[in-house]
Every structure is written in C-alpha cells, then in structure tokens.
Amino acid sequence: MLRSSKGFFLLDLLLSLSALLLLSFFLLPLLTDLRDQSRLLELENKARQLLYEELQAGLISIPANSKYTSMQNGIEYKINWNDSELTGQKEVCVRIEKSSFLSEIEVCGYLE
C-alpha cells in the first residue's frame, strides 16, 4: 500500500475477495454434506428409538399386528415383525424407504 493513500488498492480488494470466494467454494459443499449426514443420523436414531419401543412392547405382550407403518414428522417408518428361522426368536425391523431426499435405512433387533 502507498503511504500517502488512506484507502486500499483495487488489487488488495480483489485478492481478499478472491480468497473469500475460494474459501466459500471449498466450505459450502462440506457444509451441505455435513447437513445431510446429520439428517441421516437423526433419522437412524429415530428408527433405533422406535425399534427399542417395539422391543419393549413385545416383552410386555405379543405384538398384535406383524406389519404396520408409523408416520412421524412427515417420515414413514415401516415396522415389521418376523419369526427368525435361525434362532427361533421374534425379530422386529424398522425401515425407512428410499425417496428422493432420503436413503434407505433399516434397523433390526431380536426379542429375547
């Protein structure tokens, strides 16, 4: 910078704006990926919570229906009770179907 000048050069301004632009080009995709991963983790945790509740309800009483859906916050969770052939135990699975903005999630557990 010149000593007699009270402001910035145009070159200083362009360099700082280009550095800011480069940083934003690298950080914006990372932030969107982070947001998508946190959304997926939130859905998986909700599916695990529903699985736990189903297993607790299955310990108290025999499940009345083997397949049903639960709608929470606009997301459809499909709950399915099966008889496991390998262990002879009841198995419950909570599934979120794949859609345009969600990937498929399935969480399963056994009733002991």
Side-chain angles (χ1 to χ4, degrees):
M1 234 160 75
L2 294 176
R3 293 179 187 221
S4 63
S5 176
K6 302 268 187 205
F8 291 100
F9 277 118
L10 179 61
L11 183 61
D12 292 339
L13 180 65
L14 289 176
L15 283 175
S16 61
L17 286 178
S18 65
L20 184 64
L21 187 64
L22 282 175
L23 279 175
S24 67
F25 279 143
F26 287 118
L27 292 179
L28 284 178
L30 292 175
L31 290 176
T32 57
D33 286 343
L34 185 64
R35 186 191 68 205
D36 293 341
Q37 286 178 0
S38 67
R39 172 94 170 135
L40 189 63
L41 187 61
E42 178 185 336
L43 290 174
E44 188 174 337
N45 285 338
K46 183 63 178 172
R48 287 188 191 280
Q49 180 184 0
L50 285 174
L51 173 72
Y52 178 74
E53 290 172 0
E54 283 296 315
L55 288 174
Q56 290 296 320
L59 285 175
I60 295 171
S61 65
I62 298 172
N65 45 354
S66 62
K67 286 185 178 183
Y68 66 95
T69 60
S70 174
M71 194 78 152
Q72 295 182 0
N73 296 331
I75 307 293
E76 184 177 356
Y77 298 92
K78 294 185 179 185
I79 300 166
N80 187 15
W81 283 89
N82 297 323
D83 289 325
S84 177
E85 292 135 12
L86 296 175
T87 60
Q89 296 175 327
K90 286 276 206 184
E91 178 187 28
V92 63
C93 291
V94 178
R95 167 179 251 160
I96 301 171
E97 294 292 326
K98 185 175 183 175
S99 67
S100 60
F101 64 96
L102 292 175
S103 61
E104 185 174 319
I105 299 172
E106 183 174 24
V107 181
C108 296
Y110 291 102
L111 182 64
E112 297 178 4

